[in-house]
Amino acid sequence: MEITFEHVTHSYDANSPVANLGLDDVSLKIDDKKFTAIVGQTGSGKSTLVRHINALLKPTSGKLTVGDRVITPETNNKNLKPLRKKVGMVFQFPESQLFEETVEKDIMFGPMNFGFSEAQAKDAAHKMIELVGLSKDYLQKSPFDLSGGQMRRVAIAGVLASDPETIILDEPTAGLDPVGRHEIMDLFKGLQAQGRTIILITHNMDDVANYADEMAVMSQGKLVASGLPTDVFNDQKLLTDELLTLPQSAQFAQALAQKYFQFDKLPITIDELSTEIKQQVNGD
Amino acid sequence: MNKLIMGRYLPGDSLIYQLDPRGKFLLTFYFVGIVFLANNVASYVFLMAFVLFAVYLSKISFGFFIKGLQPIFWLILFTVLLQLFFTPSSHPIWQWGFLTLSKEGMVIASYIFVRFVLIIFISTLLTLTTTPIEISDSIESILKPLKKVNFPVTQVALMLSIALRFVPLLVDETTKIMDAQRARGVDFGEGGLIKRIKSFVPILIPLFVSSFSIAYDLAIAMESRGYKDGEGRSKYRVLKWSMRDNVTVLVMAAVTIILLFIRSY
């Protein structure tokens, strides 16, 4: 689904003495079937931005279009289910949303709310549990007996089970071990290959470099940059202004560039970096 | 939840902020008590002037205080209307069935209204200018005499300060869980009574579970930092009673005397 923000402003506690601006005139287009990463410092409005996409928050002014739905300040809270079925949202530490007696029931909860039949929901639960890397034995366990990482996977399965077209991920790998992180990130990349739109909020620049097609940088409620990750990471002034770090490959390339090596554009992934090094070493 | 102004602390710096929280706490209760002594127009005008002066001294925007009235606006309206139309009178201005509008009714209704405003303004002033931790420190210090009758003052104070510290965290957690369940297709506040009650299960269970894990983590963290029990601890935040607190008490005494005078006048 294509998602377009047009001059979206969101103010928390609007019209009260403690009002504060969460989003300030954001215009952004998120392409269909692309993997878009949103970065920015803590409190820059990333989470506020993505909560608009399934109308958990509504703009104070401006409008946004999600597929064929238009969300304006006047949009009312009725009939949002079709939108929320299409936009799956994995919150930070999603393990805190588990509540059912068994893992199976918890995964079925979302699909059942969105009008799946019990058989369909059960079927989805059985598929999803394996997709997130757990065996079917876990389906009959209580979610509260699982480890933190397993709970995270169950929570993600619960969101994916409703078969959303767009998946929003708010730091899905925070607090996971390195192996778990790569598994989960590869899972999302795989879902993109099936034709879904992925939006990822992250502080991990390596994930941005390795997985994202597009990136957007937020700062103090404003969108300060958007485009290809290569272009954004090559904008030295932006990086300094927004206190963004480079992906590790780019940091290494930067160190190499001080001696012998020259890069037209900093390579941001290991593959790009090794190709560049190979070319330059053989070229000499 | 975020709309509630009363009970929220607002960082700032003015005379009212610098007062000793114990004094502020006790004087606020005292003031709420003497509000009921007022019995005529002059006395209410005097108390109102005093409260507005205190609000002015706090240097907090007046909007916050008006906002503080909002949550109980309907309660005020209901009570005022009851007084307005149900006060029996021998000289009604207007009468229809059991409804009577009279001069006495109007006077009593406006007294009730002013009383509400006074009490809410003064308690909003207390909570806006005093941090929750100062309030719990004051309660501990005020309850101290009860130690003599084996009342666990330090434990109660600890529970109180932990509870206060975790209120905003739990509110955030609740909002987060509600959002997460909404994203999974739960409609809160829709359908019949049973359906509505049922829709709270997906919030309550995760909230209890996370409270348990917070409590467990916090207890471990406290033990590992050497907490044994409340006895024999020194204090980091020491409350200081200063000259301006004496002055405040004197001002309050003066207010009481003037009020008693106006009242009998």
Side-chain angles (χ1 to χ4, degrees):
Chain A
M1 268 190 304
E2 192 176 274
I3 298 156
T4 323
F5 286 79
E6 286 170 72
H7 303 287
V8 171
T9 297
H10 184 90
S11 163
Y12 284 104
D13 291 327
N15 306 321
S16 92
V18 286
N20 75 68
L21 215 53
L23 287 184
D24 188 0
D25 194 20
V26 171
S27 297
L28 171 70
K29 196 164 148 269
I30 296 172
D31 291 328
D32 191 22
K33 301 188 171 96
K34 286 275 175 65
F35 196 123
T36 304
I38 300 175
V39 302
Q41 285 177 274
T42 310
S44 58
K46 308 181 293 285
S47 297
T48 312
L49 182 79
V50 296
R51 274 172 172 70
H52 280 77
I53 300 175
N54 65 357
L56 286 174
L57 293 176
K58 277 171 279 180
T60 322
S61 70
K63 72 166 191 179
L64 67 154
T65 322
V66 182
D68 48 10
R69 271 301 273 269
V70 180
I71 302 166
T72 61
E74 289 79 33
T75 303
N76 71 24
N77 287 324
K78 298 270 147 68
N79 200 23
L80 289 172
K81 269 194 187 180
L83 175 69
R84 290 184 179 154
K85 189 201 163 294
K86 283 184 193 166
V87 182
M89 192 147 178
V90 178
F91 285 82
Q92 264 178 60
F93 302 103
E95 51 274 27
S96 65
Q97 73 191 28
L98 303 175
F99 72 98
E100 282 280 13
E101 297 148 49
T102 65
V103 167
E104 184 181 42
K105 278 190 187 167
D106 203 280
I107 301 178
M108 287 165 64
F109 179 70
M112 299 278 280
N113 281 330
F114 292 123
F116 284 45
S117 73
E118 200 167 334
Q120 284 172 319
K122 212 165 213 160
D123 191 42
H126 284 252
K127 267 191 207 147
M128 287 308 147
I129 193 82
E130 296 202 316
L131 190 70
V132 296
L134 295 176
S135 79
K136 281 188 181 158
D137 303 340
Y138 284 95
L139 284 174
Q140 300 310 324
K141 292 191 177 174
S142 159
F144 300 111
D145 290 338
L146 306 182
S147 75
Q150 290 166 336
M151 283 169 89
R152 178 83 54 95
R153 286 162 196 258
V154 171
I156 293 174
V159 174
L160 299 181
S162 325
D163 192 23
E165 289 173 36
T166 298
I167 302 166
I168 300 170
L169 308 157
D170 196 342
E171 298 187 42
T173 57
L176 287 188
D177 59 84
V179 177
R181 267 189 40 173
H182 279 119
E183 278 177 25
I184 297 279
M185 288 306 299
D186 287 340
L187 163 70
F188 294 133
K189 196 67 188 172
L191 289 168
Q192 186 203 357
Q194 292 175 8
R196 293 172 217 263
T197 311
I198 312 278
I199 299 165
L200 168 76
I201 293 182
T202 185
H203 289 290
N204 187 303
M205 297 303 154
D206 289 315
D207 284 349
V208 178
N210 293 329
Y211 296 101
D213 305 316
E214 300 276 336
M215 78 184 279
V217 184
M218 298 283 300
S219 173
Q220 295 178 350
K222 288 195 174 72
L223 181 77
V224 286
S226 64
L228 298 174
T230 323
D231 295 337
V232 175
F233 285 127
N234 272 281
D235 186 343
Q236 196 56 54
K237 187 178 174 304
L238 178 80
L239 297 178
T240 335
D241 286 352
E242 300 310 326
L243 301 173
L244 291 179
T245 53
L246 283 170
Q248 282 186 344
S249 308
Q251 287 181 18
F252 188 64
Q254 221 171 27
L256 285 179
Q258 291 177 351
K259 279 183 184 173
Y260 318 127
F261 284 85
Q262 254 189 338
F263 301 100
D264 295 332
K265 260 189 173 180
L266 282 180
I268 56 169
T269 63
I270 293 195
D271 288 346
E272 282 174 36
L273 178 66
S274 58
T275 321
E276 274 281 334
I277 294 177
K278 239 186 253 169
Q279 273 175 5
Q280 296 202 16
V281 170
N282 292 341
D284 281 343
Chain B
M1 282 259 201
N2 288 329
K3 302 237 155 50
L4 219 63
I5 293 290
M6 214 172 106
R8 186 189 273 201
Y9 172 72
L10 194 75
D13 186 34
S14 66
L15 181 71
I16 305 277
Y17 280 90
Q18 292 153 4
L19 291 176
D20 188 293
R22 283 169 296 183
K24 242 191 290 184
F25 189 79
L26 285 179
L27 287 179
T28 300
F29 276 91
Y30 176 74
F31 186 82
V32 170
I34 63 170
V35 161
F36 294 94
L37 287 178
N39 65 347
N40 55 28
V41 180
S43 55
Y44 277 110
V45 168
F46 170 67
L47 286 181
M48 202 66 211
F50 172 74
V51 167
L52 289 178
F53 180 63
V55 166
Y56 165 77
L57 279 184
S58 74
K59 293 190 189 154
I60 295 175
S61 137
F62 196 63
F64 280 101
F65 293 88
I66 299 296
K67 207 80 187 167
L69 287 176
Q70 263 180 8
I72 59 157
F73 174 77
W74 291 109
L75 179 70
I76 299 179
L77 192 72
F78 179 71
T79 322
V80 166
L81 285 182
L82 273 189
Q83 293 290 343
L84 198 57
F85 289 112
F86 288 91
T87 307
S89 164
S90 44
H91 308 288
I93 300 173
W94 173 84
Q95 203 160 22
W96 182 81
F98 51 86
L99 298 177
T100 330
L101 188 66
S102 67
K103 202 177 159 212
E104 292 97 317
M106 283 192 224
V107 170
I108 293 178
S110 54
Y111 284 178
I112 295 280
F113 175 74
V114 175
R115 242 180 235 174
F116 264 117
V117 172
L118 285 172
I119 292 174
I120 287 161
F121 273 22
I122 202 80
S123 41
T124 308
L125 184 68
L126 173 74
T127 57
L128 282 181
T129 60
T130 321
T131 59
I133 208 79
E134 281 177 335
I135 292 186
S136 81
D137 279 352
S138 329
I139 293 176
E140 180 183 6
S141 149
I142 291 163
L143 290 183
K144 211 157 243 165
L146 289 181
K147 257 187 181 165
K148 294 223 168 67
V149 290
N150 282 334
F151 183 79
V153 174
T154 41
Q155 279 85 332
V156 168
L158 180 75
M159 265 163 35
L160 198 64
S161 57
I162 292 176
L164 285 170
R165 171 68 190 80
F166 280 92
V167 165
L169 275 181
L170 284 177
V171 170
D172 282 356
E173 185 74 14
T174 313
T175 328
K176 208 197 107 182
I177 293 171
M178 277 180 88
D179 274 355
Q181 306 299 22
R182 267 200 200 107
R184 293 212 281 170
V186 182
D187 282 320
F188 295 110
E190 259 176 45
L193 187 65
I194 302 291
K195 203 182 162 214
R196 281 186 192 210
I197 293 173
K198 271 191 177 161
S199 74
F200 277 94
V201 174
I203 310 176
L204 286 181
I205 294 179
L207 205 57
F208 275 115
V209 171
S210 76
S211 307
F212 279 124
S213 77
I214 289 174
Y216 183 74
D217 289 346
L218 184 70
I220 296 274
M222 283 172 69
E223 273 195 335
S224 64
R225 295 173 73 181
Y227 182 85
K228 283 215 182 73
D229 58 32
E231 301 310 317
R233 297 180 69 213
S234 58
K235 264 182 142 356
Y236 173 64
R237 294 180 304 270
V238 181
L239 301 173
K240 261 199 229 98
W241 190 267
S242 65
M243 199 56 212
R244 52 174 168 267
D245 298 303
N246 289 330
V247 174
T248 324
V249 172
L250 285 179
V251 167
M252 204 49 109
V255 166
T256 316
I257 293 164
I258 297 173
L259 184 68
L260 287 173
F261 179 71
I262 300 179
R263 182 185 145 85
S264 51
Y265 180 65

